[in-house]
Amino acid sequence: MRSEVRSKNLWHRASYIFVLDRLTDKFVIQKRTLLKDYCPGYFDIVTGGVVGAGEDDDLGAERELEEELGLKGHKLQKVAVVKFENEGNRVWGNLYFLKVELKEGDLCL
């Protein structure tokens, strides 16, 4: 459960997806909802989220891409897996890259 992961600072997996618009050569920036427990309302250079227990890392990233940005059916390029730890977060981060041609209406551009 996510609340237990946060309260006990447990190790967990997450996806971080960099999305580059092929037409403008600009990265998609996402504003986090104010309801988030971590960095609410902040702007984020990546989209993604926590990988579910027993969920495949790549499938979790695809799920997050659709949930967060409404983009589906795209092949993500896995770039790296990074380990990060501080007093409030312990995560194995799966970094992905997606270069996609965004059309008007795909996102709030």
Side-chain angles (χ1 to χ4, degrees), residues 58-69:
D58 297 342
L59 294 177
E62 291 173 10
R63 174 186 52 75
E64 288 288 350
L65 183 65
E66 183 176 358
E67 286 178 6
E68 299 289 329
L69 298 180

Side-chain angles (χ1 to χ4, degrees), residues 18-64:
F18 293 86
V19 179
L20 182 70
D21 182 359
R22 185 185 319 272
L23 296 177
T24 63
D25 209 31
K26 294 181 180 178
F27 282 99
V28 172
I29 305 295
Q30 178 180 345
K31 185 170 183 183
R32 296 172 60 84
T33 177
L34 293 173
L35 301 176
K36 288 287 189 183
D37 61 343
Y38 183 74
C39 297
Y42 282 45
F43 286 96
D44 208 336
I45 185 68
V46 296
T47 192
V50 174
V51 179
E55 185 177 29
D56 177 81
D57 291 336
D58 297 342
L59 294 177
E62 291 173 10
R63 174 186 52 75
E64 288 288 350

Side-chain angles (χ1 to χ4, degrees), residues 1 4 15 30 34 39 44-45 53 69 90 100 102 105 109:
M1 180 180 280
E4 184 178 11
S15 57
Q30 178 180 345
L34 293 173
C39 297
D44 208 336
I45 185 68
L69 298 180
R90 292 180 173 173
V100 64
L102 296 173
L109 299 175

